[in-house]
Amino acid sequence: MGLKMNTIEIVLFMLVASNLSNAQVFDVTKNGANAKVDITQALLKTWKQACATKSRSQVLIPKGTFKVSQATFQGPCKAPIEFNLQGTLLAPAVDGNFKGGDSWISFEHIDSLTVTGGGTFNGQGKTAWGKTCTSSQYCGNLPINVRFNFLTNSVVQYVTSLDSKQFHVNVLGCKNITFQHFKVSAPGDSLNTDGIHIGRSTDVKVLDSNIQTGDDCISIGEGSQQVTINKVNCGPGHGISIGSLGMYANEEAVKGVFVKSCTLKNTQNGVRIKTWPDSQPGTASDMHFEDIQLDNVGNPIVIDQEYCPWNKCNAKVSSRVKLSNISFKNIRGSSSTAVAVKLVCSKGYPCQNVQLSDINLSYKGSEGAITSECKNVKPILSGKENPRACITSA
Ligand SMILES: *[C@@H]1O[C@H](CO)[C@@H](O)[C@H](O)[C@H]1NC(C)=O
Ligand SMILES: *[C@@H]1O[C@H](CO)[C@@H](O)[C@H](O)[C@H]1NC(C)=O
Ligand SMILES: *[C@@H]1O[C@H](CO)[C@@H](O)[C@H](O)[C@H]1NC(C)=O
């Protein structure tokens, strides 16, 4: 490891660099964009020109702050395309003229898209949080900052999503998409501002990224398969979550989630899997959490099949989502709640093959000794276990 490159890496780096410099550049300011106007039309025109180019192309947004009301960048494109955001795109503020909507910036049906450049998608969420809906509601009428819909073989790197009005990023129907050196930034008390939500996608990677926000750091929904989360720092926020699952009929299975070498600091939860009670049928399997460092984290390890945040579910009927093949390995650090391990599985479908190994958590608060809560699960324990999970009520 380290920063020294060997000869092969240098050659590869030069190849990549020369490829990028070979791209035909389409600068949005050549199409009339400037800091004084809404650049939506100029940006869409620039995208169309680049997208229609038969060789590698680049949409360039130079340094500066540019207003965009709402934009969808459609593929398919004729060749690999780069969205080079060096400046800041600024979303509309919520005021008397704000119309709502479900997305601000979207990329759709594109193969080989690269989003990069060091710039920022500024959602101006500060003008929205707590104003159009309260903390007990889901802010459905507020736009998601950046959507990636039906992309293949794409990379999002060295850009920031700042103060989204709702989720920062939503990944839907993608295959082979990687987020790396990606940054999310919003205050801990911002509402519904999940960092990256992934659904119905295969081969999604989130690597070497920093996510500070008010809701889930990364949330993984139905139909997510082969998701790798590596070296992500979360906090503040609500932690890394799979679910909630089972709300809708015909949800696709979750299969293969690998969360490794992540840190969570001052988050409401650590790593968790949640499903609704009285749910639709579903399955989630092969979910693994390993080498996770926690610092002052509430509910560090959670499986909750009675998840019901607004008390609007029939908690008497158990969840019909089957959970299996789950491991929590080398999870260490400090918990801010006494119940450091909560494994509450469905009565109708007890969790199968849950493994806990090398759990080393500490708790120094006033709720008593560190402990676990378990229902309908018989975890396989190995290595150090603090707390020793499920010894009384397996
Ligand atoms: C995934 O996408 C990246 C970026 O385009 C590409 O380099 C890589 O080969 C793709 N992987 C697969 C398995 O297609
Ligand atoms: C769980 O793992 C076992 C053993 O590796 C495997 O046979 C089984 O198919 C897995 N279950 C699911 C639902 O993937
Ligand atoms: C558990 O963590 C504490 C620090 O919180 C450390 O002193 C101790 O050595 C760890 N135990 C093991 C077995 O890793």
Side-chain angles (χ1 to χ4, degrees):
M1 296 295 283
L3 288 173
K4 274 188 205 147
M5 291 194 278
N6 64 33
T7 318
I8 292 170
E9 283 169 335
I10 289 169
V11 170
L12 282 174
F13 179 78
M14 284 165 61
L15 278 174
V16 171
S18 69
N19 258 341
L20 292 182
S21 59
N22 280 343
Q24 198 175 331
V25 177
F26 294 84
D27 183 336
V28 71
T29 60
K30 301 270 162 38
N31 277 328
N34 65 59
K36 297 199 182 77
V37 298
D38 182 325
I39 72 160
T40 305
Q41 291 316 316
L43 194 49
L44 290 172
K45 185 175 171 192
T46 309
W47 173 266
K48 274 193 180 141
Q49 290 166 340
C51 187
T53 302
K54 290 200 175 71
S55 62
R56 193 173 278 275
S57 67
Q58 184 196 92
V59 170
L60 174 66
I61 299 140
K63 289 211 164 72
T65 297
F66 302 96
K67 291 177 198 141
V68 175
S69 48
Q70 197 279 329
T72 299
F73 303 107
Q74 289 281 0
C77 297
K78 295 264 190 281
I81 185 164
E82 180 178 300
F83 191 86
N84 191 313
L85 176 62
Q86 300 183 0
T88 294
L89 297 184
L90 190 67
V94 170
D95 57 21
N97 299 321
F98 185 72
K99 296 202 177 59
D102 71 357
S103 50
W104 175 42
I105 302 290
S106 307
F107 296 90
E108 288 185 3
H109 299 287
I110 306 157
D111 180 58
S112 300
L113 168 71
T114 302
V115 176
T116 188
T120 299
F121 296 94
N122 182 349
Q124 295 228 70
K126 285 190 171 108
T127 64
W129 303 318
K131 295 197 177 123
T132 57
C133 47
T134 65
S135 58
S136 62
Q137 290 172 322
Y138 182 73
C139 285
N141 63 334
L142 289 173
I144 286 172
N145 233 27
V146 191
R147 283 183 186 269
F148 299 97
N149 295 337
F150 310 102
L151 304 188
T152 48
N153 307 316
S154 294
V155 179
V156 180
Q157 59 185 6
Y158 301 107
V159 287
T160 298
S161 175
L162 175 69
D163 292 344
S164 62
K165 294 187 179 79
Q166 216 224 87
F167 290 5
H168 283 271
V169 164
N170 194 73
V171 176
L172 176 73
C174 293
K175 200 166 176 192
N176 183 17
I177 182 167
T178 299
F179 293 81
Q180 54 193 4
H181 303 285
F182 182 65
K183 193 173 161 194
V184 166
S185 179
D189 60 0
S190 58
L191 296 174
N192 291 314
T193 52
D194 288 31
I196 301 178
H197 178 78
I198 299 162
R200 297 198 177 188
S201 295
T202 302
D203 194 2
V204 180
K205 296 187 181 74
V206 184
L207 315 172
D208 299 297
S209 293
N210 285 305
I211 300 179
Q212 313 176 343
T213 194
D215 208 307
D216 289 341
C217 175
I218 298 175
S219 57
I220 296 163
E222 54 121 355
S224 299
Q225 310 214 343
Q226 302 305 315
V227 175
T228 300
I229 298 170
N230 219 320
K231 294 194 192 140
V232 173
N233 302 317
C234 300
H238 294 182
I240 298 176
S241 295
I242 298 172
S244 318
L245 302 174
M247 166 84 80
Y248 303 103
N250 305 315
E251 288 188 1
E252 293 169 22
V254 170
K255 203 168 169 53
V257 176
F258 307 89
V259 180
K260 201 166 179 224
S261 305
C262 293
T263 67
L264 294 104
K265 191 172 181 183
N266 299 326
T267 50
Q268 211 179 70
N269 307 281
V271 288
R272 63 179 171 161
I273 301 169
K274 49 189 181 171
T275 77
W276 299 96
D278 192 15
S279 73
Q280 299 287 336
T283 62
S285 63
D286 203 8
M287 298 171 282
H288 306 282
F289 304 90
E290 190 175 350
D291 299 333
I292 310 290
Q293 176 74 47
L294 308 172
D295 182 356
N296 189 38
V297 163
N299 316 307
I301 297 176
V302 178
I303 295 177
D304 186 359
Q305 295 210 260
E306 296 175 355
Y307 181 75
C308 185
W310 304 299
N311 268 324
K312 282 179 188 153
C313 7
N314 183 359
K316 290 199 188 84
V317 181
S318 58
S319 173
R320 294 180 191 89
V321 178
K322 294 180 197 170
L323 301 181
S324 63
N325 298 357
I326 301 163
S327 68
F328 299 95
K329 221 169 168 175
N330 190 22
I331 316 275
R332 59 195 190 275
S334 55
S335 174
S336 61
T337 57
V339 181
V341 177
K342 175 174 167 175
L343 305 177
V344 171
C345 293
S346 164
K347 191 162 189 238
Y349 300 94
C351 296
Q352 301 296 318
N353 188 17
V354 177
Q355 306 194 19
L356 289 172
S357 74
D358 296 311
I359 308 299
N360 185 7
L361 298 168
S362 63
Y363 170 67
K364 292 203 185 73
S366 58
E367 299 163 14
I370 191 163
T371 185
S372 69
E373 181 189 346
C374 303
K375 271 190 199 172
N376 309 309
V377 59
K378 292 195 177 87
I380 300 154
L381 307 180
S382 63
K384 185 187 168 77
E385 296 292 334
N386 187 29
R388 264 195 86 73
C390 314
I391 38 171
T392 50
S393 62

